[in-house]
Amino acid sequence: MKTVTLTIDGRTIKAREGEKLLWVALENGIYIPNLCAIPGVKHPAAACRLCFVEIEGYPRPVTACTEPVVEGMVVSTRSPRVDRLVQTAFELLLSNHQQDCANCPRNRSCELQRIARERRIPLRVKRLRKLERELPVDDSSPALRYDPRKCVLCGKCVWVCREKGTGVLGFAGRGFGRRITTFGDVPLGQSGCNGCGECARICPVGALVEKKADI
C-alpha cells in the first residue's frame, strides 16, 4: 500500500494511504478524544462526536475516525472551533451519565476521565441541565453487571457481542430513550449471554463490568 506524508499538529508523519486519521494520530502519540472508534472497522459509527479535527482547506471540522489520510494533509487537533465542538459533545454525554466515579469499578481507567484530563474539561456539567434516567441495574448475569445509567451509547459492546459473543446485545429506542439492551429486552441472565466478558473489556466507561474482574 502507498505511503503518504501528512502533518498533524506541526509534526511530519508517514502513514498508509487511506488509513483513518484517528488511528494515525493515536499510533504516533497524538491524542484525539474518542469513545466509539474500533480499530479495523471499515465503516466507523462516528457516534460520540468527540474526535473532531480541522484540516487545512476544509470548510469545517471533520471527525478523525471517518477521514482517510492523503498526501500533504495538514491537520490541527486543537483550535477554538474544535475545542468548542468537543467540549459541547462531552458535556452532552455527561448530562446523561450517572457520575459516581469514586465508587465506579472503572475509576482511574475510564475514558471519560481521560478525556476530561487531556482536554482539561470539568467532569461536572455546569451549562446543561442534568438528565437523570431512571433505569435499573441489571445484575441477573453471574458474570456481568450492566448499569444503563452509565452507558454512553458508543455501541462497542453491540459490535463485539456480534463479532465474538452470542449477539444478544443491540440498540433500542430513539432520542433520549435510546439504550443498549438484549433481544426481547430480557435480563442479561436470561438472554443467552455466555458471559465471555468481551463487552465489559471493550466498554470505555463503567456501564458493563465483569463481576469476577478487579478492574
Side-chain angles (χ1 to χ4, degrees):
M1 185 176 289
K2 182 181 176 182
T3 298
V4 299
T5 302
L6 65 153
T7 303
I8 306 178
D9 292 346
R11 286 180 53 189
T12 300
I13 290 170
K14 292 188 181 296
R16 296 181 298 276
E17 185 178 41
E19 188 175 0
K20 295 299 188 287
L21 176 57
L22 175 65
W23 304 117
V24 172
L26 294 176
E27 287 165 8
N28 285 276
I30 300 171
Y31 181 71
I32 297 176
N34 69 92
L35 287 175
C36 65
I38 303 170
V41 173
K42 292 183 178 180
H43 304 289
C48 69
R49 317 305 288 173
L50 290 167
C51 67
F52 279 109
V53 297
E54 285 206 280
I55 300 176
E56 192 174 283
Y58 285 37
R60 61 185 63 86
V62 297
T63 49
C65 69
T66 60
E67 195 65 31
V69 297
V70 296
E71 178 65 36
M73 178 181 276
V74 178
V75 182
S76 296
T77 67
R78 302 295 300 270
S79 73
R81 284 201 298 179
V82 165
D83 289 352
R84 184 167 59 251
L85 285 168
V86 172
Q87 181 165 348
T88 299
F90 188 71
E91 289 176 346
L92 284 169
L93 282 171
L94 289 184
S95 71
N96 196 29
H97 176 76
Q98 187 192 54
Q99 289 173 262
D100 184 23
C101 297
N103 298 308
C104 179
R106 290 300 298 267
N107 188 25
R108 299 177 185 269
S109 64
C110 170
E111 280 300 312
L112 290 177
Q113 291 178 332
R114 183 182 183 186
I115 294 167
R117 182 174 65 251
E118 295 280 351
R119 290 302 174 97
R120 297 185 179 181
I121 304 173
L123 269 170
R124 294 293 176 186
V125 178
K126 294 182 179 180
R127 292 193 300 164
L128 303 174
R129 180 169 62 90
K130 192 74 174 175
L131 302 172
E132 298 288 354
R133 294 187 295 173
E134 297 299 326
L135 298 171
V137 175
D138 185 346
D139 206 24
S140 62
S141 166
L144 301 165
R145 179 179 293 106
Y146 173 48
D147 188 344
R149 300 167 300 174
K150 295 180 180 179
C151 179
V152 291
L153 298 175
C154 66
K156 285 183 172 180
C157 61
V158 175
W159 176 84
V160 80
C161 188
R162 290 173 180 170
E163 292 291 315
K164 300 181 180 181
T166 51
V168 300
L169 296 178
F171 286 101
R174 295 182 179 181
F176 182 66
R178 192 163 173 79
R179 57 196 175 92
I180 300 290
T181 186
T182 60
F183 182 75
D185 204 21
V186 299
L188 268 175
Q190 302 169 24
S191 68
C193 167
N194 62 7
C196 69
E198 292 290 344
C199 59
R201 286 188 281 276
I202 204 171
C203 179
V205 292
L208 276 158
V209 294
E210 290 185 272
K211 291 182 176 179
K212 296 178 290 184
D214 184 17
I215 298 177

